Amino acid sequence: MKQFFLALSLLLTLPLSAEELIQAGSLKVTLASPQKVEKVPMGNYLGSYTYPSAHRFTISAYVDGFVSEINVKPYATVKKGQKLFVLKSPKLLDLQSDYITTLLEFEFYQKELKRLKPLSEKGVIASKRYTEAKNRHDQLKTATAFKQNLLKAYGLSQAQLNKVTSQHKAYPSLTISAPADSTVSTLEIQVGTFVHQGDTLAKLVNTTECHFEVDMPWQLTASLKQGDKLYSKESVFTVFAMSPEIDPVSQTRGIDLHEEKGCNAQGGASMSVTLYQKQSAWKVPSSAVVGMENGHVIFVAANGGYRALPVTVLAQLEGKNFITAALTENDRIAVSSVLALKSAAEGSEE
């Protein structure tokens, strides 16, 4: 201990000009080399994988009815258009019957117009009769189109509607198919269940894509924009979207990241990850960097002494500082007795 204070006393009494070096005397200083890196850590975050809303599907009952068939099992993978359920619905039967009645009358007036038009033009019948038939035809045409759209709204596919239209026959069963290639995440009904319009039958999710969501300090997110690349030790992420608002409690902003390698169906999983940005920097032990009145410095060995080198600290992680400075890989920097070197440097400035 006496040796330390003797060395420190010697340092403090050495007058230095701007070009002179700090002499360590008998003070023992451990040296290390800076390590060149191309990625700077942004910090460690706990994030979670989530599937985008566009990849989630809720299968609901379009109409009141009984579940007569279930053609899928929980967690099964389904293809777009694959039959999932069949509902038997008295209400759907009534709607189809009403549509068929309107359709038959419409088709009758289509034929009636063809018959009356030449007779009206030749004066065989009064033009009023043709006009009345034409008005009724137009009304039925509009009503037919409306009821077709209504049946589609109640879940009838275009193919099923074409079948009802061509055959003039009502079908009480409604087939519900998968809207996309996906996986069944929940199955919420059984055969024989009576469901009301809007009741959930199942939920599907497309697991081919998911996003990683983290909350970052808003000051840090201010430097990010959509499309920027962020890195972890194993993955590459793209900034997909950012929350437009800052959380008033945590002072963070939500970041939605898209993982380029895919998430391997990890939706719902939480994971701690260290994120990096691409930036040339030097990695040095945290003990090498010390604060001075005008900023941070490190002490670089030179000509038997040490020179104080200003640095900019970009990040800190696991006992390492990431800095920008006028360094080379051949430089040797002090990683111990740094406070004594700092005192000497401050003393030389007085």
Side-chain angles (χ1 to χ4, degrees):
M1 183 62 72
K2 289 183 179 180
Q3 184 179 12
F4 171 80
F5 283 110
L6 179 61
L8 179 58
S9 175
L10 177 62
L11 288 168
L12 291 174
T13 58
L14 289 175
L16 295 175
S17 68
E19 296 181 354
E20 287 180 321
L21 299 177
I22 301 170
Q23 302 297 326
S26 60
L27 189 68
K28 292 184 179 180
V29 180
T30 303
L31 300 177
S33 298
Q35 181 182 351
K36 187 71 171 178
V37 295
E38 298 299 328
K39 296 176 184 176
V40 174
M42 302 178 69
N44 187 271
Y45 302 96
L46 178 64
S48 59
Y49 285 100
T50 182
Y51 296 111
S53 297
H55 285 229
R56 295 176 176 271
F57 308 93
T58 298
I59 309 302
S60 302
Y62 293 100
V63 65
D64 296 353
F66 293 90
V67 179
S68 61
E69 289 183 32
I70 298 177
N71 297 282
V72 68
K73 295 181 179 180
Y75 315 128
T77 299
V78 297
K79 297 292 185 181
K80 182 177 180 179
Q82 180 177 331
K83 183 166 72 171
L84 302 178
F85 309 103
V86 176
L87 300 183
K88 286 191 175 180
S89 171
K91 182 174 183 178
L92 185 63
L93 187 62
D94 291 341
L95 290 171
Q96 291 179 76
S97 299
D98 182 52
Y99 165 67
I100 292 170
T101 299
T102 303
L103 178 63
L104 289 172
E105 188 177 1
F106 171 63
E107 291 174 347
F108 168 78
Y109 273 93
Q110 281 183 314
K111 296 176 182 178
E112 187 71 356
L113 282 183
K114 290 181 179 180
R115 185 181 71 84
L116 294 178
K117 185 175 182 180
L119 296 178
S120 174
E121 291 172 347
K122 294 178 181 180
V124 177
I125 62 170
S127 59
K128 179 181 178 181
R129 183 176 174 186
Y130 173 77
T131 301
E132 290 174 344
K134 179 70 167 60
N135 289 338
R136 182 58 180 162
H137 168 273
D138 291 346
Q139 291 173 356
L140 291 167
K141 182 178 181 180
T142 300
T144 300
F146 171 78
K147 292 178 181 181
Q148 286 179 342
N149 290 332
L150 183 63
L151 287 171
K152 288 182 180 180
Y154 277 97
L156 221 59
S157 67
Q158 186 62 55
Q160 291 170 317
L161 181 59
N162 292 342
K163 190 175 181 181
V164 172
T165 301
S166 62
Q167 297 181 356
H168 295 164
K169 180 180 178 181
Y171 293 88
S173 297
L174 173 65
T175 299
I176 299 177
S177 303
D181 294 354
S182 48
T183 300
V184 179
S185 59
T186 63
L187 193 60
E188 304 188 15
I189 43 86
Q190 298 174 336
V191 172
T193 303
F194 181 82
V195 293
H196 296 281
Q197 183 180 10
D199 285 353
T200 298
L201 308 180
K203 292 183 179 180
L204 312 181
V205 62
N206 180 349
T207 61
T208 58
E209 179 184 342
C210 61
H211 291 185
F212 189 67
E213 297 182 355
V214 297
D215 294 328
M216 292 185 180
W218 68 268
Q219 298 93 334
L220 189 58
T221 63
S223 65
L224 298 176
K225 63 182 182 301
Q226 188 174 14
D228 282 352
K229 300 291 185 182
L230 301 182
Y231 303 82
S232 68
K233 291 183 179 179
E234 299 178 351
S235 301
V236 180
F237 298 92
T238 302
V239 177
F240 184 80
M242 290 188 284
S243 168
E245 296 181 327
I246 298 170
D247 186 287
V249 177
S250 64
Q251 291 293 290
T252 60
R253 175 171 279 147
I255 306 293
D256 194 3
L257 302 175
H258 181 265
E259 190 170 5
E260 291 187 355
K261 71 176 184 179
C263 63
N264 299 319
Q266 295 182 88
S270 295
M271 183 177 71
S272 180
V273 62
T274 301
L275 294 175
Y276 299 80
Q277 277 183 301
K278 267 194 174 180
Q279 184 176 355
S280 294
W282 296 98
K283 182 167 69 172
V284 300
S286 296
S287 61
V289 182
V290 65
M292 300 281 283
E293 182 177 351
N294 296 323
H296 292 89
V297 300
I298 59 174
F299 294 95
V300 182
N303 300 323
Y306 298 89
R307 59 186 174 91
L309 180 67
V311 302
T312 299
V313 178
L314 301 176
Q316 295 178 318
L317 180 70
E318 297 175 352
K320 301 292 183 180
N321 277 7
F322 293 77
I323 62 174
T324 56
L327 285 169
T328 71
E329 293 179 336
N330 295 323
D331 285 328
R332 301 279 284 170
I333 62 175
V335 297
S336 70
S337 302
V338 174
L339 290 178
L341 296 173
K342 171 188 174 181
S343 296
E346 289 176 336
S348 68
E349 294 175 354
E350 295 178 356

